[in-house]
Amino acid sequence: MDISTVIAGTRFDNPVFLASGIVDETLKSVERAIKSGAGAAVTKSIGKDERPGYAPPIISELPTGMINAVGLANPGIDDFIDEFRTSKLKEKIVVSIFGKDSEEFLELAKRVQEVGFKTVELNLSCPHVKGYGSEVGEDPDLVEEIITELKNKTNLKVWAKLTPNVTHIVDIAKAAEGADALVLINTVKAIGVNIWARKFSLTNGIGGYSGPGIKPIALRAVYDVYRETGKEIIGVGGITSYEDAIEFILLGAKAVQVGTAIYYKDFQIFNEISQGIINYLEKEGFENLQEIIGLMVR
Amino acid sequence: MDISTVIAGTRFDNPVFLASGIVDETLKSVERAIKSGAGAAVTKSIGKDERPGYAPPIISELPTGMINAVGLANPGIDDFIDEFRTSKLKEKIVVSIFGKDSEEFLELAKRVQEVGFKTVELNLSCPHVKGYGSEVGEDPDLVEEIITELKNKTNLKVWAKLTPNVTHIVDIAKAAEGADALVLINTVKAIGVNIWARKFSLTNGIGGYSGPGIKPIALRAVYDVYRETGKEIIGVGGITSYEDAIEFILLGAKAVQVGTAIYYKDFQIFNEISQGIINYLEKEGFENLQEIIGLMVR
Amino acid sequence: MKFSEIASAKKIGKDFFELSFSIDSEVKPGQFLMIWVPGVKEIPMSVSNLKNPITISFKAIGETTRKLSTMREGQRIFYRGPYGNTFPEPKGRAAYVAGGTGIASLLPLIRIHPGDVYYGLRTAEDIVYGEIVNFVSTDDGTLGFKGNVVDLFIKEDKEYDEVFVCGPEPMMKYFHDKIDRRKYGKIYYSLERLMKCGVGICDSCSINGFRVCKDGTVFEHEQLDMMDEFGTVRRAESGRRIFLK
Amino acid sequence: MKFSEIASAKKIGKDFFELSFSIDSEVKPGQFLMIWVPGVKEIPMSVSNLKNPITISFKAIGETTRKLSTMREGQRIFYRGPYGNTFPEPKGRAAYVAGGTGIASLLPLIRIHPGDVYYGLRTAEDIVYGEIVNFVSTDDGTLGFKGNVVDLFIKEDKEYDEVFVCGPEPMMKYFHDKIDRRKYGKIYYSLERLMKCGVGICDSCSINGFRVCKDGTVFEHEQLDMMDEFGTVRRAESGRRIFLK
Ligand SMILES: Cc1cc2nc3c(=O)[nH]c(=O)nc-3n(C[C@H](O)[C@H](O)[C@H](O)COP(=O)(O)OP(=O)(O)OC[C@H]3O[C@@H](n4cnc5c(N)ncnc54)[C@H](O)[C@@H]3O)c2cc1C
Ligand SMILES: Cc1cc2nc3c(=O)[nH]c(=O)nc-3n(C[C@H](O)[C@H](O)[C@H](O)COP(=O)(O)OP(=O)(O)OC[C@H]3O[C@@H](n4cnc5c(N)ncnc54)[C@H](O)[C@@H]3O)c2cc1C
Ligand SMILES: Cc1cc2nc3c(=O)[nH]c(=O)nc-3n(C[C@H](O)[C@H](O)[C@H](O)COP(=O)(O)O)c2cc1C
Ligand SMILES: Cc1cc2nc3c(=O)[nH]c(=O)nc-3n(C[C@H](O)[C@H](O)[C@H](O)COP(=O)(O)O)c2cc1C
Ligand code: FES
Ligand code: FES
């Protein structure tokens, strides 16, 4: 059964990718995800300068998922490049970058391109760091400018990862029209409270909500954006099983990313989902993955 | 232990209310909630004209909550008034109304006031009906106009129920400054998919997500709005236990509403939460509910 | 929402059908499922045979039931539940009083604990499950007693320890108001109302604050005494009251 | 995040403390908890006594551990876990080789299956759990062997079926590289790295793609053979590599 998928002209063996920020700070972990069956792996988001991130607790487990405020911890682009340049799996590694404006994004993208990566994912959506992520990604003009700049001045494929924390995600998606693909969604702004300590569960207070609890929200984003823009979409948010993945695919996602599920099922999640998709396609009488992409919307 | 709470000058015996839209279409059910221990009960949202709502399935159960698209089914204000006018519990019944503009809201509010109700809740937030709810409530100017109109032309206490499906809920909260209290939050826009039928789980496709899965989102809304506006707030979204209720109260909510939890725990939820709050206050050495309202934000 | 494959599909009478399929939870007498026909609607259906493959028995009266009636072995049927409370198991002489499709909800109990079965129909050709029926009435007199099943029951004038009633609400109301309460031990009614959610949150099935889907469907005679909306007020899909008679 | 009330708080050595509290899950030898001190930080801590009330044993070295050291009986302690894999139970002659606070993670095993305990310290006054230690070394020679515990272990030159090692990574690296592998059956190391999440998703504790918190903390000698970052590259909080030596 052929479950390969083509995103912006690039073919991936299977449509189950590792999401940015989950076991992907170090090269060896990223490669481990790929060797464990991920069709591609997105790195932790990298910025210009080193950031230690927030003090732990940086995650808080919930009955319905998890909230995190890692705080864009990253070694800075120099050390990142130094560590990742040696990889032989560059075709399957997508580098996530974050910046405060088009200049920063462009600078980062060029560095990434220089050492041979083919695709960047733009973090326009991290909800818990001032001046970055969703603060950039909720501004359609800025989104458009960043993408135009990167498409004009690099040869990279550009995936734009959008935030659900906006009134009309379709407006942002339209601003991101120039991107090769859209990644939907990043975490949902949220808070956890510990009533016995009477403190926030996370050091940073505000965090990003991920896991099963955000799946219905992510599905809505994928559906609305696919229906309204027809763009190539990678679905992410709360996927922990092949059934979840297929829900996204039926609504138009050409691939999915898996983050928090690593916490529930570890690296085997990739093969588990791929195998599940194969079984589903067989059982339901489809010839290949293509047949069900966007089936419920077309 | 005193767990009474005062909202916009009105005293309620306890801070656990029934949320709009859950077993509150008929007068006798609303009264049952109050007799079961709810400090107050908000009716299903009522509009000018009768609406049958969407065809079932109107709800879909999820592991993390529920999505619904009831479609603002309601008998219309005439039949509503006719049924509810006789109630002896009017002080504890808050009438939820929805309209497409300030004129409709005003007309409804006047009818409600005429028969002796003291408080209306404005549905500025239902996410699944065109032209109503969140389509009104995401427009700050319209929100402000509606509230100004009602405050100028009626003597009702006005609670404004806001939608989380916006980029900056604080902006909407500021537009709603004229309201006596803010109710945060209504359901989150969402979709459910059935991969075995390859159809949406709900007849309407798009629905509103409620239950435990939205609690972290609701907490964030309450915290942001309380911190930025200091308004009187009623917290709602995913509350199924006294611990949940206390999380909202610590972040500034003077009361909470309970909806989907009726599905999990039925009418006993009201007394269960009230009793849990009493035990908590005793155990933690507080004198009354007031002491913990907003404790983590002050 | 779960699904199962239809194990058998039968026509058992005029416009009357049975579908059997296996489900993954235990069902008790009187409980119902919400059956979803994708693209059409979701509707409540009593379980008329509790053991896997369980059975639903229905009359094709509208779009959903008509679509269900065309379904065949091997096709998928979507459901959730079982929901609702249950009939208690009878201990003594039992009577079962059914009108129309109401027979479906009584069938499991009739099989567990046989008793006198009274069945009211509009006309002879509506008969189903004839083999278990002891007393039959038709509105037009084409089969059995001419008249309604309540009058038939009263005419037979037997004594029972437990009576179980299920049918259209007007028939149950008539039964409730007409019979001589003292002649019987316990009397249970399984009510049917417009249902949207099936799980007690939408309030569309409520009678005097009792949700038929959740507090019922089974109510005792004395509970109905206190429900002034029983048989007098039903609700439109909007929740608007429709006053009967 | 759970919490418990502190059952006892003891100072057991210079800057060294024990806190005991009951937790609601079983802990296995080598596992750790994430301990949260509200307003300060969340840090990993080995469980040094597995039976309720379980114990953590720690040195006050920074803000969190210092705050923990001021906590008293009856106060709330917040934790999650236990996390990490576990030491297998030894079957033959066992040696335990600890450096500094590394003793904490070995204590449960030492109690279950006594063996030779080698303990390396900086100086005499750092000694804790002296009653269970067989061979001690100090960097300054104020107690026992002068030098590090690895050299002490090699000097003693005994044969063991199982060796368990826990201490600072440089010490474990030195042990790993220096000892004559063929003299021992299995050798297990419990690693310590900067941990943020404790559950395998943040990657901050990873060595060559192995997460100390989730794939470890316990690794076998041969696994470490393949980790070229072990003892040579550690990670800053940012994930930046810090090359050792
Ligand atoms: C708890 C419960 C158990 C039920 N069990 C069974 C069963 O075992 N077998 C069975 O055949 N039916 C049963 N019903 C009734 C069944 O749910 C309806 O027949 C069904 O909803 C009709 O759907 P439809 O789309 O086919 O018809 P629609 O197109 O929705 O309706 C066709 C016509 O029937 C009327 N109608 C629909 N439902 C009802 C109702 N409940 N009462 C009065 N009039 C109605 C409509 O107003 C319309 O005029 C049960 C109902 C309930 C509440
Ligand atoms: C799995 C595991 C189990 C542990 N078990 C124990 C235990 O049982 N007993 C115990 O005392 N400690 C243990 N530790 C170490 C303990 O977590 C640290 O001492 C603690 O994080 C220090 O926190 P702090 O806020 O007090 O110090 P900080 O203020 O964070 O740090 C003080 C100084 O110590 C350094 N430091 C902190 N942590 C480490 C580390 N892991 N390695 C090297 N240097 C470090 C810092 O860089 C800084 O210079 C364990 C660590 C791990 C990973
Ligand atoms: C611990 C953690 C760290 C994350 N870090 C990043 C990040 O650096 N950049 C980014 O774009 N998304 C980040 N995310 C968001 C995820 O990539 C993903 O969009 C989100 O978690 C929803 O998917 P999930 O439910 O499968 O986890 C992070 C998520 C988690 C849980
Ligand atoms: C079935 C259902 C119907 C609802 N109908 C309304 C409504 O008519 N008006 C309204 O303001 N909110 C309505 N809501 C939203 C709830 O009042 C509440 O804001 C939301 O469900 C979150 O709270 P919960 O998680 O406790 O259910 C409805 C929610 C549900 C589940
Ligand atoms: S059908 Fe919704 S409450 Fe009964
Ligand atoms: S501490 Fe996060 S992966 Fe180990």
Side-chain angles (χ1 to χ4, degrees), chain C residues 16 32 41 43-46 57-59 61-66 101 104-105 191-195 212 217:
Chain C
F16 215 107
F32 67 96
K41 227 170 46 183
I43 58 170
M45 275 286 148
S46 302
S57 308
F58 59 93
K59 198 154 180 175
I61 60 158
E63 45 169 0
T64 324
T65 43
R66 265 203 299 273
T101 59
S105 97
L191 270 49
E192 282 190 17
R193 280 259 164 152
L194 176 77
M195 286 185 183
V212 171
T217 59

Side-chain angles (χ1 to χ4, degrees), chain A residues 10 18 28-29 59 65 72 92 111-112 146 153 170 185 192 204 211 217 220 236-237 279-280 283-284 287:
Chain A
T10 307
L18 176 67
K28 293 282 183 258
S29 291
I59 64 152
L72 293 175
K92 295 190 177 185
R111 297 290 302 279
V112 167
I146 291 165
K153 304 197 176 152
V170 172
I185 58 175
N204 188 55
I217 301 170
R220 202 275 294 189
V236 50
N279 296 349
Y280 176 85
K283 180 167 171 173
E284 303 292 296
E287 300 280 309

Side-chain angles (χ1 to χ4, degrees), chain A residues 240-255:
Chain A
T240 66
S241 68
Y242 80 90
E243 291 98 328
D244 294 338
I246 288 167
E247 294 174 8
F248 281 85
I249 294 166
L250 288 169
L251 295 183
K254 295 186 117 180

Side-chain angles (χ1 to χ4, degrees), chain B residues 46-49 51 72 97-108 123-124 129-133 135-137 139 142-143 145-146:
Chain B
I46 305 298
K48 264 183 64 179
D49 302 313
R51 284 176 60 96
L72 293 176
I97 55 178
F98 71 92
K100 64 176 189 310
D101 52 28
S102 59
E103 212 175 304
E104 275 194 20
F105 270 104
L106 182 62
E107 186 182 331
L108 293 164
N123 181 341
L124 302 166
V129 178
K130 248 196 104 47
Y132 295 102
E135 289 196 13
V136 173
D139 178 344
L142 199 45
V143 166
E145 184 191 317
I146 291 165

Side-chain angles (χ1 to χ4, degrees), chain A residues 60 62 67 190-194 199-202 205 207, chain B residues 216 219 247 296:
Chain A
S60 171
L62 303 173
I67 52 174
I191 277 183
V193 170
N194 187 308
K199 290 262 187 278
F200 296 113
S201 312
L202 301 175
Chain B
L219 287 171
E247 293 173 8
M296 279 175 55

Side-chain angles (χ1 to χ4, degrees), chain B:
Chain B
M1 179 64 68
D2 179 12
I3 58 165
S4 70
T5 191
V6 177
I7 293 164
T10 307
R11 189 183 162 287
F12 297 92
D13 291 342
N14 74 63
V16 192
F17 303 170
L18 176 67
S20 178
I22 296 93
V23 271
D24 50 8
E25 182 177 285
T26 68
L27 173 59
K28 292 285 186 256
S29 291
V30 171
E31 294 186 338
R32 180 177 176 186
I34 293 168
K35 287 173 187 158
S36 304
V42 186
T43 69
K44 190 157 190 165
S45 295
I46 305 298
K48 264 183 64 179
D49 302 313
E50 180 178 6
R51 284 176 60 96
Y54 301 129
I58 55 155
I59 63 153
S60 171
E61 200 199 343
L62 304 172
T64 59
M66 175 180 285
I67 52 175
N68 87 79
V70 173
L72 293 176
N74 85 99
I77 188 72
D78 293 342
D79 188 68
F80 170 81
I81 292 289
D82 202 45
E83 179 172 0
F84 278 66
R85 67 185 317 148
T86 58
S87 179
K88 304 234 151 29
L89 299 173
K90 288 206 190 76
E91 309 276 328
K92 295 191 174 183
I93 299 177
V94 172
V95 181
S96 172
I97 55 178
F98 71 92
K100 64 176 189 310
D101 52 28
S102 59
E103 212 175 304
E104 275 194 20
F105 270 104
L106 182 62
E107 186 182 331
L108 293 164
K110 283 185 171 163
R111 297 290 303 279
V112 167
Q113 171 168 303
E114 254 167 45
V115 292
F117 289 100
K118 305 293 181 213
T119 309
V120 283
E121 183 178 285
L122 312 185
N123 181 341
L124 302 166
S125 39
C126 171
H128 49 66
V129 178
K130 248 196 104 47
Y132 295 102
S134 62
E135 289 196 13
V136 173
E138 73 191 35
D139 178 344
D141 296 336
L142 199 45
V143 166
E144 191 175 338
E145 184 191 317
I146 291 165
I147 291 169
T148 309
E149 193 78 353
L150 263 63
K151 285 311 295 178
N152 285 344
K153 303 195 178 155
T154 74
N155 300 315
L156 292 163
K157 307 273 180 199
V158 174
W159 296 359
K161 185 168 179 186
L162 306 187
T163 172
N165 301 294
V166 293
T167 311
H168 296 293
I169 196 167
V170 171
D171 292 348
I172 309 291
K174 285 181 178 163
E177 200 103 64
D180 296 290
L182 301 179
V183 181
L184 306 171
I185 57 177
N186 209 312
T187 51
V188 179
K189 240 183 196 179
I191 276 183
V193 170
N194 187 308
I195 66 168
W196 305 107
R198 289 184 279 282
K199 290 264 187 277
F200 296 113
S201 312
L202 301 175
T203 302
N204 187 55
I206 303 270
Y209 180 20
S210 65
I214 69 167
K215 192 187 68 174
I217 302 169
L219 287 171
R220 202 276 293 189
V222 169
Y223 171 72
D224 276 1
V225 171
Y226 183 64
R227 200 192 45 193
E228 298 291 323
T229 71
K231 292 257 356 147
E232 299 192 42
I233 292 172
I234 297 154
V236 51
I239 296 169
T240 67
S241 68
Y242 80 90
E243 291 97 328
D244 295 337
I246 289 167
E247 293 173 8
F248 281 85
I249 294 167
L250 288 169
L251 295 183
K254 295 186 118 181
V256 297
Q257 293 178 358
V258 171
T260 305
I262 300 275
Y263 170 59
Y264 303 117
K265 301 190 176 170
D266 219 346
F267 285 99
Q268 75 211 33
I269 187 78
F270 301 108
N271 281 336
E272 181 190 315
I273 293 181
S274 284
Q275 191 55 53
I277 294 175
I278 290 170
N279 297 348
Y280 176 86
L281 293 172
E282 276 167 4
K283 179 167 172 175
E284 302 293 294
F286 293 104
E287 301 280 309
N288 55 45
L289 182 71
Q290 294 312 308
E291 288 191 6
I292 66 165
I293 295 173
L295 184 62
M296 279 175 55
V297 187
R298 284 190 304 239

